mmCIF file of all heavy atoms in Angstrom:
data_model
loop_
_atom_site.group_PDB
_atom_site.id
_atom_site.type_symbol
_atom_site.label_atom_id
_atom_site.label_comp_id
_atom_site.label_asym_id
_atom_site.label_seq_id
_atom_site.Cartn_x
_atom_site.Cartn_y
_atom_site.Cartn_z
ATOM 1 N N THR G 1 -33.302 121.619 -67.261
ATOM 2 C CA THR G 1 -33.608 122.700 -66.329
ATOM 3 C C THR G 1 -34.721 122.275 -65.406
ATOM 4 O O THR G 1 -35.672 121.611 -65.807
ATOM 5 C CB THR G 1 -34.033 123.983 -67.078
ATOM 6 O OG1 THR G 1 -35.200 123.692 -67.865
ATOM 7 C CG2 THR G 1 -32.920 124.444 -67.996
ATOM 8 N N ALA G 2 -34.593 122.667 -64.127
ATOM 9 C CA ALA G 2 -35.530 122.218 -63.108
ATOM 10 C C ALA G 2 -36.128 123.406 -62.358
ATOM 11 O O ALA G 2 -35.495 124.446 -62.173
ATOM 12 C CB ALA G 2 -34.822 121.305 -62.117
ATOM 13 N N LEU G 3 -37.379 123.208 -61.908
ATOM 14 C CA LEU G 3 -38.018 124.118 -60.964
ATOM 15 C C LEU G 3 -38.343 123.342 -59.699
ATOM 16 O O LEU G 3 -38.959 122.269 -59.754
ATOM 17 C CB LEU G 3 -39.296 124.715 -61.541
ATOM 18 C CG LEU G 3 -39.150 125.783 -62.625
ATOM 19 C CD1 LEU G 3 -40.514 126.195 -63.146
ATOM 20 C CD2 LEU G 3 -38.382 126.974 -62.120
ATOM 21 N N ALA G 4 -37.915 123.847 -58.566
ATOM 22 C CA ALA G 4 -38.180 123.211 -57.265
ATOM 23 C C ALA G 4 -39.420 123.842 -56.652
ATOM 24 O O ALA G 4 -39.545 125.076 -56.571
ATOM 25 C CB ALA G 4 -36.976 123.412 -56.351
ATOM 26 N N VAL G 5 -40.343 122.991 -56.185
ATOM 27 C CA VAL G 5 -41.609 123.447 -55.625
ATOM 28 C C VAL G 5 -41.665 123.042 -54.149
ATOM 29 O O VAL G 5 -41.940 121.878 -53.823
ATOM 30 C CB VAL G 5 -42.807 122.843 -56.378
ATOM 31 C CG1 VAL G 5 -44.117 123.360 -55.817
ATOM 32 C CG2 VAL G 5 -42.713 123.134 -57.880
ATOM 33 N N PRO G 6 -41.430 123.978 -53.221
ATOM 34 C CA PRO G 6 -41.424 123.652 -51.793
ATOM 35 C C PRO G 6 -42.767 123.815 -51.092
ATOM 36 O O PRO G 6 -42.877 123.597 -49.883
ATOM 37 C CB PRO G 6 -40.432 124.665 -51.229
ATOM 38 C CG PRO G 6 -40.655 125.886 -52.080
ATOM 39 C CD PRO G 6 -40.959 125.358 -53.462
ATOM 40 N N THR G 7 -43.816 124.173 -51.819
ATOM 41 C CA THR G 7 -45.074 124.662 -51.239
ATOM 42 C C THR G 7 -45.671 123.736 -50.189
ATOM 43 O O THR G 7 -46.212 124.197 -49.170
ATOM 44 C CB THR G 7 -46.095 124.924 -52.360
ATOM 45 O OG1 THR G 7 -45.525 125.836 -53.296
ATOM 46 C CG2 THR G 7 -47.385 125.489 -51.794
ATOM 47 N N ALA G 8 -45.640 122.426 -50.415
ATOM 48 C CA ALA G 8 -46.285 121.489 -49.490
ATOM 49 C C ALA G 8 -45.755 121.620 -48.066
ATOM 50 O O ALA G 8 -46.468 121.337 -47.095
ATOM 51 C CB ALA G 8 -46.109 120.057 -49.975
ATOM 52 N N GLN G 9 -44.511 122.057 -47.932
ATOM 53 C CA GLN G 9 -43.916 122.153 -46.601
ATOM 54 C C GLN G 9 -44.655 123.138 -45.696
ATOM 55 O O GLN G 9 -44.782 122.905 -44.488
ATOM 56 C CB GLN G 9 -42.437 122.555 -46.695
ATOM 57 C CG GLN G 9 -41.536 121.493 -47.266
ATOM 58 C CD GLN G 9 -40.129 121.616 -46.727
ATOM 59 O OE1 GLN G 9 -39.923 121.988 -45.571
ATOM 60 N NE2 GLN G 9 -39.167 121.330 -47.567
ATOM 61 N N TRP G 10 -45.165 124.218 -46.279
ATOM 62 C CA TRP G 10 -45.811 125.241 -45.445
ATOM 63 C C TRP G 10 -47.083 124.721 -44.776
ATOM 64 O O TRP G 10 -47.529 125.277 -43.770
ATOM 65 C CB TRP G 10 -46.131 126.479 -46.280
ATOM 66 C CG TRP G 10 -44.937 127.072 -46.954
ATOM 67 C CD1 TRP G 10 -44.746 127.235 -48.295
ATOM 68 C CD2 TRP G 10 -43.751 127.589 -46.328
ATOM 69 N NE1 TRP G 10 -43.525 127.814 -48.555
ATOM 70 C CE2 TRP G 10 -42.900 128.040 -47.366
ATOM 71 C CE3 TRP G 10 -43.329 127.724 -45.003
ATOM 72 C CZ2 TRP G 10 -41.645 128.596 -47.106
ATOM 73 C CZ3 TRP G 10 -42.067 128.276 -44.750
ATOM 74 C CH2 TRP G 10 -41.257 128.706 -45.789
ATOM 75 N N GLY G 11 -47.659 123.657 -45.298
ATOM 76 C CA GLY G 11 -48.883 123.115 -44.718
ATOM 77 C C GLY G 11 -48.666 122.063 -43.655
ATOM 78 O O GLY G 11 -49.629 121.552 -43.108
ATOM 79 N N HIS G 12 -47.410 121.723 -43.342
ATOM 80 C CA HIS G 12 -47.137 120.654 -42.395
ATOM 81 C C HIS G 12 -46.451 121.216 -41.152
ATOM 82 O O HIS G 12 -45.456 121.948 -41.273
ATOM 83 C CB HIS G 12 -46.251 119.590 -43.022
ATOM 84 C CG HIS G 12 -46.311 118.276 -42.315
ATOM 85 N ND1 HIS G 12 -45.754 118.087 -41.065
ATOM 86 C CD2 HIS G 12 -46.858 117.089 -42.675
ATOM 87 C CE1 HIS G 12 -45.957 116.829 -40.689
ATOM 88 N NE2 HIS G 12 -46.623 116.205 -41.643
ATOM 89 N N PRO G 13 -46.933 120.903 -39.955
ATOM 90 C CA PRO G 13 -46.352 121.491 -38.742
ATOM 91 C C PRO G 13 -44.914 121.072 -38.448
ATOM 92 O O PRO G 13 -44.243 121.728 -37.669
ATOM 93 C CB PRO G 13 -47.306 121.018 -37.623
ATOM 94 C CG PRO G 13 -47.970 119.807 -38.180
ATOM 95 C CD PRO G 13 -48.094 120.053 -39.658
ATOM 96 N N MET G 14 -44.422 120.016 -39.081
ATOM 97 C CA MET G 14 -43.045 119.597 -38.849
ATOM 98 C C MET G 14 -42.065 120.287 -39.777
ATOM 99 O O MET G 14 -40.858 120.076 -39.675
ATOM 100 C CB MET G 14 -42.934 118.082 -39.016
ATOM 101 C CG MET G 14 -43.685 117.270 -37.966
ATOM 102 S SD MET G 14 -43.495 115.482 -38.174
ATOM 103 C CE MET G 14 -41.718 115.297 -37.912
ATOM 104 N N CYS G 15 -42.567 121.109 -40.686
ATOM 105 C CA CYS G 15 -41.725 121.798 -41.672
ATOM 106 C C CYS G 15 -41.694 123.292 -41.381
ATOM 107 O O CYS G 15 -42.535 123.821 -40.661
ATOM 108 C CB CYS G 15 -42.231 121.553 -43.081
ATOM 109 S SG CYS G 15 -42.333 119.816 -43.560
ATOM 110 N N GLY G 16 -40.728 123.976 -41.969
ATOM 111 C CA GLY G 16 -40.601 125.411 -41.770
ATOM 112 C C GLY G 16 -39.466 125.979 -42.585
ATOM 113 O O GLY G 16 -38.957 125.305 -43.506
ATOM 114 N N PRO G 17 -39.053 127.203 -42.289
ATOM 115 C CA PRO G 17 -38.024 127.859 -43.100
ATOM 116 C C PRO G 17 -36.731 127.063 -43.256
ATOM 117 O O PRO G 17 -36.145 127.039 -44.345
ATOM 118 C CB PRO G 17 -37.764 129.172 -42.345
ATOM 119 C CG PRO G 17 -39.058 129.444 -41.643
ATOM 120 C CD PRO G 17 -39.590 128.102 -41.248
ATOM 121 N N ALA G 18 -36.289 126.396 -42.200
ATOM 122 C CA ALA G 18 -35.042 125.650 -42.284
ATOM 123 C C ALA G 18 -35.170 124.450 -43.221
ATOM 124 O O ALA G 18 -34.263 124.166 -44.020
ATOM 125 C CB ALA G 18 -34.581 125.199 -40.899
ATOM 126 N N SER G 19 -36.279 123.733 -43.117
ATOM 127 C CA SER G 19 -36.449 122.568 -43.985
ATOM 128 C C SER G 19 -36.680 122.981 -45.432
ATOM 129 O O SER G 19 -36.231 122.284 -46.357
ATOM 130 C CB SER G 19 -37.601 121.679 -43.481
ATOM 131 O OG SER G 19 -38.822 122.386 -43.471
ATOM 132 N N VAL G 20 -37.361 124.098 -45.655
ATOM 133 C CA VAL G 20 -37.523 124.606 -47.013
ATOM 134 C C VAL G 20 -36.162 124.950 -47.603
ATOM 135 O O VAL G 20 -35.859 124.599 -48.759
ATOM 136 C CB VAL G 20 -38.453 125.835 -47.044
ATOM 137 C CG1 VAL G 20 -38.401 126.519 -48.390
ATOM 138 C CG2 VAL G 20 -39.891 125.402 -46.721
ATOM 139 N N ARG G 21 -35.325 125.591 -46.808
ATOM 140 C CA ARG G 21 -33.990 125.930 -47.303
ATOM 141 C C ARG G 21 -33.206 124.659 -47.637
ATOM 142 O O ARG G 21 -32.505 124.585 -48.660
ATOM 143 C CB ARG G 21 -33.210 126.729 -46.251
ATOM 144 C CG ARG G 21 -31.791 127.090 -46.695
ATOM 145 C CD ARG G 21 -30.983 127.748 -45.583
ATOM 146 N NE ARG G 21 -29.659 128.112 -46.044
ATOM 147 C CZ ARG G 21 -28.625 127.257 -46.121
ATOM 148 N NH1 ARG G 21 -28.796 125.984 -45.791
ATOM 149 N NH2 ARG G 21 -27.456 127.668 -46.569
ATOM 150 N N GLY G 22 -33.335 123.634 -46.797
ATOM 151 C CA GLY G 22 -32.626 122.392 -47.050
ATOM 152 C C GLY G 22 -33.045 121.745 -48.353
ATOM 153 O O GLY G 22 -32.207 121.182 -49.088
ATOM 154 N N PHE G 23 -34.336 121.835 -48.678
ATOM 155 C CA PHE G 23 -34.808 121.296 -49.957
ATOM 156 C C PHE G 23 -34.289 122.111 -51.120
ATOM 157 O O PHE G 23 -33.762 121.559 -52.093
ATOM 158 C CB PHE G 23 -36.336 121.276 -49.969
ATOM 159 C CG PHE G 23 -36.932 121.052 -51.329
ATOM 160 C CD1 PHE G 23 -36.717 119.859 -51.996
ATOM 161 C CD2 PHE G 23 -37.709 122.042 -51.935
ATOM 162 C CE1 PHE G 23 -37.274 119.642 -53.276
ATOM 163 C CE2 PHE G 23 -38.258 121.828 -53.199
ATOM 164 C CZ PHE G 23 -38.035 120.635 -53.858
ATOM 165 N N VAL G 24 -34.409 123.425 -51.031
ATOM 166 C CA VAL G 24 -34.018 124.282 -52.139
ATOM 167 C C VAL G 24 -32.528 124.165 -52.422
ATOM 168 O O VAL G 24 -32.100 124.127 -53.595
ATOM 169 C CB VAL G 24 -34.434 125.740 -51.849
ATOM 170 C CG1 VAL G 24 -33.819 126.688 -52.877
ATOM 171 C CG2 VAL G 24 -35.948 125.876 -51.837
ATOM 172 N N THR G 25 -31.706 124.085 -51.392
ATOM 173 C CA THR G 25 -30.268 124.025 -51.585
ATOM 174 C C THR G 25 -29.761 122.613 -51.859
ATOM 175 O O THR G 25 -28.626 122.424 -52.291
ATOM 176 C CB THR G 25 -29.526 124.541 -50.343
ATOM 177 O OG1 THR G 25 -29.862 123.721 -49.207
ATOM 178 C CG2 THR G 25 -29.908 125.990 -50.048
ATOM 179 N N GLY G 26 -30.599 121.609 -51.617
ATOM 180 C CA GLY G 26 -30.191 120.234 -51.825
ATOM 181 C C GLY G 26 -29.388 119.651 -50.698
ATOM 182 O O GLY G 26 -28.840 118.560 -50.807
ATOM 183 N N GLU G 27 -29.353 120.350 -49.560
ATOM 184 C CA GLU G 27 -28.534 119.907 -48.441
ATOM 185 C C GLU G 27 -29.237 118.926 -47.512
ATOM 186 O O GLU G 27 -28.594 118.278 -46.704
ATOM 187 C CB GLU G 27 -28.081 121.126 -47.622
ATOM 188 C CG GLU G 27 -27.186 122.089 -48.411
ATOM 189 C CD GLU G 27 -26.948 123.380 -47.657
ATOM 190 O OE1 GLU G 27 -27.506 123.531 -46.542
ATOM 191 O OE2 GLU G 27 -26.214 124.232 -48.180
ATOM 192 N N ARG G 28 -30.567 118.845 -47.612
ATOM 193 C CA ARG G 28 -31.294 117.971 -46.718
ATOM 194 C C ARG G 28 -31.090 116.524 -47.087
ATOM 195 O O ARG G 28 -31.137 116.145 -48.255
ATOM 196 C CB ARG G 28 -32.793 118.294 -46.774
ATOM 197 C CG ARG G 28 -33.601 117.666 -45.639
ATOM 198 C CD ARG G 28 -35.071 118.000 -45.781
ATOM 199 N NE ARG G 28 -35.648 117.311 -46.930
ATOM 200 C CZ ARG G 28 -36.661 117.788 -47.643
ATOM 201 N NH1 ARG G 28 -37.191 118.944 -47.341
ATOM 202 N NH2 ARG G 28 -37.145 117.112 -48.653
ATOM 203 N N HIS G 29 -30.843 115.674 -46.085
ATOM 204 C CA HIS G 29 -30.639 114.237 -46.301
ATOM 205 C C HIS G 29 -29.490 113.983 -47.289
ATOM 206 O O HIS G 29 -29.595 113.143 -48.194
ATOM 207 C CB HIS G 29 -31.901 113.572 -46.815
ATOM 208 C CG HIS G 29 -33.107 113.813 -45.960
ATOM 209 N ND1 HIS G 29 -33.070 113.699 -44.579
ATOM 210 C CD2 HIS G 29 -34.375 114.179 -46.274
ATOM 211 C CE1 HIS G 29 -34.277 113.967 -44.105
ATOM 212 N NE2 HIS G 29 -35.073 114.275 -45.084
ATOM 213 N N GLY G 30 -28.390 114.714 -47.132
ATOM 214 C CA GLY G 30 -27.266 114.517 -48.033
ATOM 215 C C GLY G 30 -27.499 115.257 -49.344
ATOM 216 O O GLY G 30 -27.740 116.459 -49.342
ATOM 217 N N VAL G 31 -27.452 114.522 -50.436
ATOM 218 C CA VAL G 31 -27.656 115.139 -51.750
ATOM 219 C C VAL G 31 -29.136 115.032 -52.120
ATOM 220 O O VAL G 31 -29.654 113.960 -52.364
ATOM 221 C CB VAL G 31 -26.804 114.451 -52.833
ATOM 222 C CG1 VAL G 31 -27.084 115.053 -54.195
ATOM 223 C CG2 VAL G 31 -25.331 114.587 -52.499
ATOM 224 N N GLY G 32 -29.819 116.175 -52.135
ATOM 225 C CA GLY G 32 -31.243 116.194 -52.428
ATOM 226 C C GLY G 32 -31.533 116.379 -53.900
ATOM 227 O O GLY G 32 -30.627 116.427 -54.751
ATOM 228 N N LEU G 33 -32.813 116.509 -54.230
ATOM 229 C CA LEU G 33 -33.235 116.591 -55.614
ATOM 230 C C LEU G 33 -32.595 117.734 -56.381
ATOM 231 O O LEU G 33 -32.253 117.600 -57.558
ATOM 232 C CB LEU G 33 -34.750 116.745 -55.696
ATOM 233 C CG LEU G 33 -35.622 115.528 -55.387
ATOM 234 C CD1 LEU G 33 -37.084 115.882 -55.602
ATOM 235 C CD2 LEU G 33 -35.229 114.342 -56.235
ATOM 236 N N THR G 34 -32.455 118.867 -55.736
ATOM 237 C CA THR G 34 -31.927 120.034 -56.446
ATOM 238 C C THR G 34 -30.418 119.958 -56.654
ATOM 239 O O THR G 34 -29.871 120.777 -57.397
ATOM 240 C CB THR G 34 -32.257 121.326 -55.687
ATOM 241 O OG1 THR G 34 -31.670 121.272 -54.379
ATOM 242 C CG2 THR G 34 -33.759 121.514 -55.547
ATOM 243 N N ALA G 35 -29.760 118.995 -56.038
ATOM 244 C CA ALA G 35 -28.304 118.868 -56.139
ATOM 245 C C ALA G 35 -27.870 117.696 -57.017
ATOM 246 O O ALA G 35 -26.772 117.193 -56.888
ATOM 247 C CB ALA G 35 -27.691 118.723 -54.744
ATOM 248 N N LEU G 36 -28.743 117.268 -57.933
ATOM 249 C CA LEU G 36 -28.424 116.121 -58.779
ATOM 250 C C LEU G 36 -27.563 116.485 -59.974
ATOM 251 O O LEU G 36 -27.125 115.587 -60.700
ATOM 252 C CB LEU G 36 -29.724 115.470 -59.275
ATOM 253 C CG LEU G 36 -30.585 114.802 -58.189
ATOM 254 C CD1 LEU G 36 -31.881 114.274 -58.810
ATOM 255 C CD2 LEU G 36 -29.826 113.662 -57.525
ATOM 256 N N GLY G 37 -27.334 117.777 -60.188
ATOM 257 C CA GLY G 37 -26.476 118.192 -61.295
ATOM 258 C C GLY G 37 -27.231 118.796 -62.471
ATOM 259 O O GLY G 37 -26.775 118.705 -63.623
ATOM 260 N N TRP G 38 -28.355 119.449 -62.196
ATOM 261 C CA TRP G 38 -29.149 120.063 -63.256
ATOM 262 C C TRP G 38 -28.394 121.194 -63.937
ATOM 263 O O TRP G 38 -27.537 121.842 -63.326
ATOM 264 C CB TRP G 38 -30.442 120.605 -62.674
ATOM 265 C CG TRP G 38 -31.240 119.591 -61.910
ATOM 266 C CD1 TRP G 38 -31.313 119.439 -60.551
ATOM 267 C CD2 TRP G 38 -32.057 118.552 -62.466
ATOM 268 N NE1 TRP G 38 -32.118 118.379 -60.234
ATOM 269 C CE2 TRP G 38 -32.598 117.816 -61.380
ATOM 270 C CE3 TRP G 38 -32.384 118.168 -63.778
ATOM 271 C CZ2 TRP G 38 -33.433 116.730 -61.572
ATOM 272 C CZ3 TRP G 38 -33.236 117.092 -63.964
ATOM 273 C CH2 TRP G 38 -33.748 116.381 -62.871
ATOM 274 N N ALA G 39 -28.770 121.489 -65.189
ATOM 275 C CA ALA G 39 -28.200 122.635 -65.879
ATOM 276 C C ALA G 39 -28.554 123.928 -65.157
ATOM 277 O O ALA G 39 -27.732 124.859 -65.081
ATOM 278 C CB ALA G 39 -28.704 122.692 -67.312
ATOM 279 N N SER G 40 -29.753 124.002 -64.598
ATOM 280 C CA SER G 40 -30.167 125.133 -63.766
ATOM 281 C C SER G 40 -31.303 124.687 -62.883
ATOM 282 O O SER G 40 -32.050 123.754 -63.211
ATOM 283 C CB SER G 40 -30.591 126.329 -64.619
ATOM 284 O OG SER G 40 -31.805 126.064 -65.297
ATOM 285 N N VAL G 41 -31.450 125.362 -61.746
ATOM 286 C CA VAL G 41 -32.523 125.088 -60.803
ATOM 287 C C VAL G 41 -33.132 126.420 -60.359
ATOM 288 O O VAL G 41 -32.408 127.318 -59.916
ATOM 289 C CB VAL G 41 -32.053 124.322 -59.555
ATOM 290 C CG1 VAL G 41 -33.223 124.070 -58.607
ATOM 291 C CG2 VAL G 41 -31.397 123.003 -59.951
ATOM 292 N N GLY G 42 -34.435 126.551 -60.488
ATOM 293 C CA GLY G 42 -35.142 127.711 -59.960
ATOM 294 C C GLY G 42 -36.153 127.259 -58.926
ATOM 295 O O GLY G 42 -36.352 126.058 -58.711
ATOM 296 N N VAL G 43 -36.785 128.218 -58.264
ATOM 297 C CA VAL G 43 -37.784 127.922 -57.232
ATOM 298 C C VAL G 43 -39.135 128.443 -57.709
ATOM 299 O O VAL G 43 -39.254 129.595 -58.142
ATOM 300 C CB VAL G 43 -37.420 128.573 -55.886
ATOM 301 C CG1 VAL G 43 -38.524 128.322 -54.863
ATOM 302 C CG2 VAL G 43 -36.087 128.023 -55.374
ATOM 303 N N LEU G 44 -40.146 127.588 -57.632
ATOM 304 C CA LEU G 44 -41.512 127.965 -57.996
ATOM 305 C C LEU G 44 -42.367 127.825 -56.730
ATOM 306 O O LEU G 44 -42.707 126.725 -56.315
ATOM 307 C CB LEU G 44 -42.040 127.041 -59.086
ATOM 308 C CG LEU G 44 -43.410 127.428 -59.657
ATOM 309 C CD1 LEU G 44 -43.301 128.687 -60.520
ATOM 310 C CD2 LEU G 44 -44.001 126.278 -60.476
#
């Protein structure tokens, strides 16, 4: 089981809601960390 932590993105001017969504969904840069096949993924 995994928890995804997007917090660092809010502190960087090149990041925002769209990039946070890409991380959480695993869609950014192809297959991201959250899309590796975990039993479950939550957001912290």
Side-chain angles (χ1 to χ4, degrees):
T1 60
L3 287 177
V5 182
T7 304
Q9 290 209 35
W10 303 120
H12 200 290
M14 294 181 64
C15 302
S19 60
V20 169
R21 179 186 182 279
F23 166 64
V24 170
T25 62
E27 296 171 358
R28 194 181 70 210
H29 306 314
V31 177
L33 287 184
T34 60
L36 293 176
W38 306 101
S40 68
V41 180
V43 176
L44 186 72

